[in-house]
Amino acid sequence: MVMLPPVLMLPPDQLHLWAVRTELCQDPFLLAQYQRLMDETEWADWLRYRVEKKRHEYLLARALLRGVLSHYAPIRPEQWRFSRSATGKPAIDWPQTLASLSNSPDLVPALEFNLSHTEGMIICALSLEASLGIDVEDTTRPVEFLPLARRFFHPTETALLESLPPEQLPLAFYRLWTLKEAYLKAVGAGLTASLDSFSFRWPKTQLLPPIPLAMPSGWEPVVLNLPEQNAPQLVLFCQTSGSNPNHWQFREFLLGGRFQVALAVARPSQNPLQLILRQTIPLQTPP
């Protein structure tokens, strides 16, 4: 049984991010604890991974999620239960979670979460009630940038990428990719929506440089200063999406000089969010 971590508050106007560098999580004792947290579904998913690095990432992601959630509610990490929507979006299964408790807490915050991981980095985002999506990508990973953009992106975004010098292309591609993935994860569209059914632009149609952020040192929270004028703007939806750009907020930043992170939050644009970032190792007691 894992003890409850220190309790944190999540105000409605904040969004909390928890980052894990996977290479720092190698303690055999902690890894054994992570395995004991998983339920039957997670165990089955974990065992399907044949590549050890991917299996390690999955284990860390599940431990991160369970440990982080327990910072905000009097529920032990192993007691959380999860479900998926018809399109595959994960969520907390509140009936099963509360049913597993000997004494159901009277007041449990309406937590929403989203997870993303790439090689070397896992990030969990938490909000209060607002649907959200997060995506992180390793910008050093080479792909066929323009062929992929021409196949999946909106024509205006593809034209933007085609206009850039080659040295700017990788980061610009991943900025658009993470924004799109974050939005689709927030709405729970999964594979049912097309990446070219909506597009992003920046103020004055210029691709402003991303905000560079260093990894926080230890468990200390860092308030992210992401100016509103640097935020990308959703300017075009397909007619059938039913989405209103003013109902969404988007943020993006480059973490540790390598990892591009994007967030999509279902919150009116006139109600700005404050972002808090922490680095952690799941279940490790903070200093």
Side-chain angles (χ1 to χ4, degrees):
M1 180 184 300
V2 178
M3 299 300 293
L4 286 173
V7 175
L8 299 173
M9 299 299 294
L10 179 59
D13 62 346
Q14 288 187 1
L15 192 149
H16 289 188
L17 307 176
W18 295 76
V20 170
R21 292 297 301 264
T22 57
E23 69 269 18
L24 301 181
C25 303
Q26 305 293 339
D27 186 329
F29 176 76
L30 286 177
L31 294 176
Q33 283 191 298
Y34 300 163
Q35 293 182 32
R36 289 193 288 270
L37 295 181
M38 293 192 296
D39 59 25
E40 292 182 0
T41 300
E42 290 167 322
W43 264 96
D45 291 340
W46 182 58
L47 292 173
R48 290 191 185 100
Y49 286 96
R50 300 303 181 189
V51 179
E52 183 58 35
K53 184 179 293 185
K54 295 298 182 182
R55 180 180 287 195
H56 183 64
E57 287 178 5
Y58 179 85
L59 181 64
L60 294 181
R62 302 317 298 175
L64 172 65
L65 174 60
R66 288 175 172 274
V68 162
L69 289 173
S70 290
H71 280 295
Y72 301 90
I75 299 171
R76 291 194 304 273
E78 70 271 16
Q79 293 177 309
W80 293 97
R81 297 294 179 266
F82 304 98
S83 60
R84 288 185 177 273
S85 68
T87 56
K89 184 179 182 181
I92 299 168
D93 189 326
W94 285 112
Q96 284 198 39
T97 296
L98 298 180
S100 69
L101 307 179
S102 55
N103 294 310
S104 297
D106 295 327
L107 295 175
V108 176
L111 297 169
E112 295 279 344
F113 74 88
N114 203 237
L115 271 173
S116 183
H117 55 86
T118 188
E119 184 170 343
M121 176 67 67
I122 304 171
I123 295 188
C124 179
L126 284 179
S127 69
L128 201 61
E129 297 183 343
S131 295
L132 77 163
I134 187 168
D135 192 49
V136 58
E137 297 291 342
D138 180 0
T139 61
T140 66
R141 182 168 63 95
V143 297
E144 295 292 330
F145 300 111
L146 287 179
L148 282 173
R150 291 166 183 146
R151 180 179 178 185
F152 294 111
F153 286 4
H154 189 274
T156 59
E157 296 168 329
T158 303
L160 170 63
L161 294 179
E162 291 174 334
S163 71
L164 296 175
E167 65 273 12
Q168 295 182 19
L169 182 58
L171 181 55
F173 174 89
Y174 280 118
R175 292 175 72 180
L176 287 168
W177 184 275
T178 53
L179 284 164
K180 287 173 166 294
E181 288 291 326
Y183 173 70
L184 291 182
K185 292 173 72 176
V187 298
L191 299 176
T192 63
S194 174
L195 287 172
D196 65 357
S197 64
F198 58 102
S199 63
F200 288 90
R201 73 170 182 183
W202 280 258
K204 300 181 181 179
T205 69
Q206 295 178 354
L207 189 63
L208 300 177
I211 303 297
L213 295 174
M215 285 289 290
S217 70
W219 207 72
E220 287 299 316
V222 173
V223 178
L224 304 189
N225 181 23
L226 304 179
E228 180 71 25
Q229 62 267 27
N230 280 67
Q233 301 170 347
L234 195 61
V235 294
L236 178 67
F237 284 109
C238 65
Q239 294 181 351
T240 59
S241 71
S243 294
N244 185 332
N246 294 325
H247 295 169
W248 290 89
Q249 292 187 41
F250 299 91
R251 296 292 185 273
E252 55 151 3
F253 54 90
L254 184 65
L255 185 58
R258 172 182 167 190
F259 300 101
Q260 180 65 24
V261 180
L263 288 154
V265 187
R267 181 179 171 88
S269 55
Q270 66 268 25
N271 299 329
L273 279 166
Q274 183 182 58
L275 274 62
I276 309 294
L277 173 65
R278 289 178 173 89
Q279 181 178 194
T280 187
I281 292 177
L283 303 190
Q284 188 178 76
T285 304

